[in-house]
Amino acid sequence: MSNPQQLRFSKEHEWLSGAVDGVSTVGITEFAANALGDVVYAQLPEVGDTVTAGETCGELESTKSVSDLYSPVTGEITEFNQDVVDDPALVNSAPFEGGWLFKVRVTEEPADLLSADEYDKLTAGN
């Protein structure tokens, strides 16, 4: 599978868009969505919540398991995807488009985010 080149990725399988006016979009990767199986419930951070890079900020429940959602950056939530709350299957069907999870005003970005090529290498063979 090939990941969008314009995104950056965490080792916990979240993706991060480039910032527009200081706000980036966050979702989980296609690799993570496939590993989870059919997502049936999404608990996302609320507008105004502060998230910290590498710490849990929500969860996704699938027919296989419950998985913590980690923030790839530190910042304040500006929006969450109500469409995913209403129809969690969007995480599986469109992880890089309509299945995004939340938007965050980034105050700190860790240096260890991966490029698409680096993330592809991390997940190769899995």
Side-chain angles (χ1 to χ4, degrees):
M1 105 188 51
S2 181
N3 291 292
Q5 291 294 314
Q6 74 275 17
L7 301 178
R8 283 163 293 145
F9 301 84
S10 73
K11 292 177 182 170
E12 289 80 22
H13 310 290
E14 282 82 25
W15 58 261
L16 178 74
S17 73
V20 175
D21 295 327
V23 176
S24 292
T25 303
V26 174
I28 67 165
T29 65
E30 184 177 4
F31 175 85
N34 289 339
L36 273 172
D38 295 333
V39 176
V40 296
Y41 175 77
Q43 179 205 353
L44 304 178
E46 299 284 333
V47 172
D49 286 354
T50 300
V51 293
T52 302
E55 294 189 7
T56 60
C57 62
E59 67 181 30
L60 297 174
E61 184 177 329
S62 72
T63 55
K64 292 181 181 179
S65 67
V66 175
S67 180
D68 286 333
L69 176 63
Y70 295 90
S71 179
V73 294
T74 298
E76 182 179 337
I77 302 300
T78 62
E79 184 179 351
F80 66 92
N81 190 346
Q82 184 65 48
D83 290 342
V84 165
V85 173
D86 295 340
D87 182 10
L90 285 171
V91 171
N92 299 105
S93 63
F96 297 114
E97 295 89 25
W100 62 273
L101 300 177
F102 60 87
K103 295 186 180 188
V104 58
R105 182 167 307 283
V106 179
T107 57
E108 186 179 335
E109 185 175 304
D112 65 349
L113 291 177
L114 306 172
S115 69
D117 291 339
E118 291 168 330
Y119 185 76
D120 288 343
K121 288 177 187 169
L122 175 73
T123 57
N126 290 324

